[in-house]
Amino acid sequence: MEKMRWLIALLLWLGFFLAFFRMGKLKLLQEVLRKTKSSMDEAARKRLLASRSKLSRLEREDGFWFMLEKQLCYSGLQRRFPFLGAENFVLLTVMFAVACFLAGMLVGDILGGLVGVGVLLLAEWAVITVGKTMEMHSVNENLMKLLDFLGNYSVTSGDAIAIFGQISKFLEEPLQSALEQCCVEAQTTGDVGMALLSLADKVEHPQFRELVRNIEVSSRYSADFSVLVQFSRRSVREYLRSCRERGSLLREAGINMALLLGLSVFSLITVNGLLEASVWEILFTTIAGRIALGIVAGIVLLFAMKAYRLEG
């Protein structure tokens, strides 16, 4: 009986020891996570300050983190997911890349894991690219409306920030959020010039940036936006007309590319019926077939990149 009591006491002591040890490890992990989050927030804050400093000197931003932050902003992802800064995006990408690599390893081998990571990176690139294209089209559709509102409201008010606050609710994203943030920043900091420069940097559209920078210059020397609006209307009309011409050319090129791919698939199906060996097995299992598929995929990718550049 005495031995049983000592055994129970030993087990209780061991249980408490393991519980406190686990709590200590959890606290250590929490401290590491807290410091990591704090350093990430500090890096984002310093990058924002550096960005504002370069904006005030009209300097171009360089570096991977600046570029990634801009891409997330221009694609609309940061507007939909405010927590998605450059650091968090890279962290999530690494986590999902590890998961995709392990899933590929379970399905096949190391090559399968690398393919999984490649698919993830390609999907992220596609999401950002499609988001930027949609944002660009939205700005194209709302730019003339913005100019009309500026021309109408400038008759009663010469304050650009006050006009933005009145017309932002009539516009679609991303202009609506960008104008609202500009108004909040100008009212909070009192620096109208920096708020307008920041507004121009939030939207990846050449005509919108030119318009906002002209407004920033005009607001310093004149309260009359009528001449600026008239000049901008002509410039925007020319830009939209060239965009429509490029769009028609891209649609024609896309149709031709789709026809070529369709004819290629039809030819392969016809040849597959004439040969004893399977054409599909040759394409997907032999080195020569994989090289041919890679060349075709490279041509399609180059066409998509060229079309995206022309569209932008």
Side-chain angles (χ1 to χ4, degrees), residues 238-300:
E238 290 294 324
Y239 175 80
L240 294 178
R241 183 178 61 81
S242 64
C243 285
R244 287 191 293 269
E245 292 177 354
R246 287 200 305 268
S248 62
L249 292 175
L250 288 175
R251 283 191 295 271
E252 183 179 353
I255 292 173
N256 292 333
M257 177 64 73
L259 288 175
L260 288 175
L261 291 176
L263 289 174
S264 300
V265 174
F266 178 76
S267 301
L268 289 175
I269 293 174
T270 304
V271 173
N272 186 60
L274 297 176
L275 297 178
E276 295 182 359
S278 175
V279 173
W280 313 112
E281 185 176 352
I282 295 174
L283 282 176
F284 291 101
T285 59
T286 63
I287 297 177
R290 290 176 178 177
I291 292 175
L293 287 176
I295 293 174
V296 173
I299 293 173
V300 173

Side-chain angles (χ1 to χ4, degrees), residues 9-278:
L10 179 62
L11 291 176
L12 288 174
W13 179 84
L14 184 61
F16 281 117
F17 175 78
L18 293 176
F20 283 114
F21 180 74
R22 182 176 179 80
M23 289 174 61
K25 290 181 64 177
L26 290 176
K27 287 183 178 180
L28 179 61
L29 180 60
Q30 290 176 355
E31 183 65 20
V32 171
L33 291 176
R34 187 190 65 79
K35 289 184 178 180
T36 302
K37 184 178 182 302
S38 177
S39 62
M40 290 171 61
D41 293 339
E42 181 66 18
R45 188 184 68 84
K46 289 181 178 180
R47 188 170 60 252
L48 178 60
L49 292 176
S51 175
R52 294 303 176 88
S53 177
K54 290 185 177 182
L55 272 178
S56 64
R57 298 193 300 268
L58 299 179
E59 295 181 1
R60 184 178 177 181
E61 296 175 353
D62 296 318
F64 171 77
W65 296 104
F66 283 110
M67 181 272 296
L68 181 58
E69 192 83 29
K70 293 303 179 186
Q71 296 302 308
L72 294 174
C73 178
Y74 296 153
S75 64
L77 291 175
Q78 275 193 341
R79 187 180 69 252
R80 297 179 178 90
F81 308 101
F83 68 91
L84 196 62
E87 290 82 3
N88 289 336
F89 182 80
V90 171
L91 180 61
L92 290 174
T93 299
V94 171
M95 293 172 60
F96 281 111
V98 172
C100 290
F101 183 80
L102 294 177
M105 288 283 290
L106 292 176
V107 174
D109 49 8
I110 295 180
L111 181 60
L114 295 177
V115 169
V117 175
V119 170
L120 172 67
L121 297 178
L122 183 61
E124 289 182 348
W125 174 81
V127 169
I128 292 176
T129 302
V130 171
K132 290 172 62 177
T133 304
M134 293 175 62
E135 298 284 284
M136 184 75 72
H137 287 169
S138 177
V139 176
N140 281 340
E141 294 174 358
N142 286 266
L143 200 53
M144 288 302 299
K145 188 188 297 185
L146 173 62
L147 287 172
D148 292 337
F149 281 129
L150 281 175
N152 295 332
Y153 280 85
S154 63
V155 177
T156 58
S157 175
D159 185 4
I161 301 301
I163 296 175
F164 286 164
Q166 292 174 336
I167 68 179
S168 61
K169 56 181 174 293
F170 300 111
L171 301 174
E172 299 177 0
E173 298 292 354
L175 293 185
Q176 185 181 73
S177 297
L179 293 180
E180 290 175 352
Q181 291 173 6
C182 176
C183 294
V184 172
E185 180 177 347
Q187 294 170 0
T188 303
T189 62
D191 192 345
V192 176
M194 179 55 67
L196 290 173
L197 290 176
S198 177
L199 170 64
D201 194 54
K202 288 177 182 176
V203 179
E204 190 185 25
H205 194 284
Q207 292 297 314
F208 178 78
R209 288 180 172 178
E210 181 180 357
L211 172 63
V212 174
R213 285 168 181 165
N214 289 337
I215 290 175
E216 191 270 333
V217 174
S218 179
S219 63
R220 283 185 290 170
Y221 302 105
S222 173
D224 185 11
F225 295 126
S226 58
V227 178
L228 172 62
V229 170
Q230 291 177 4
F231 173 78
S232 298
R233 278 175 178 162
R234 290 194 297 268
S235 178
V236 169
R237 286 194 187 100
E238 290 294 324
Y239 175 80
L240 294 178
R241 183 178 61 81
S242 64
C243 285
R244 287 191 293 269
E245 292 177 354
R246 287 200 305 268
S248 62
L249 292 175
L250 288 175
R251 283 191 295 271
E252 183 179 353
I255 292 173
N256 292 333
M257 177 64 73
L259 288 175
L260 288 175
L261 291 176
L263 289 174
S264 300
V265 174
F266 178 76
S267 301
L268 289 175
I269 293 174
T270 304
V271 173
N272 186 60
L274 297 176
L275 297 178
E276 295 182 359
S278 175

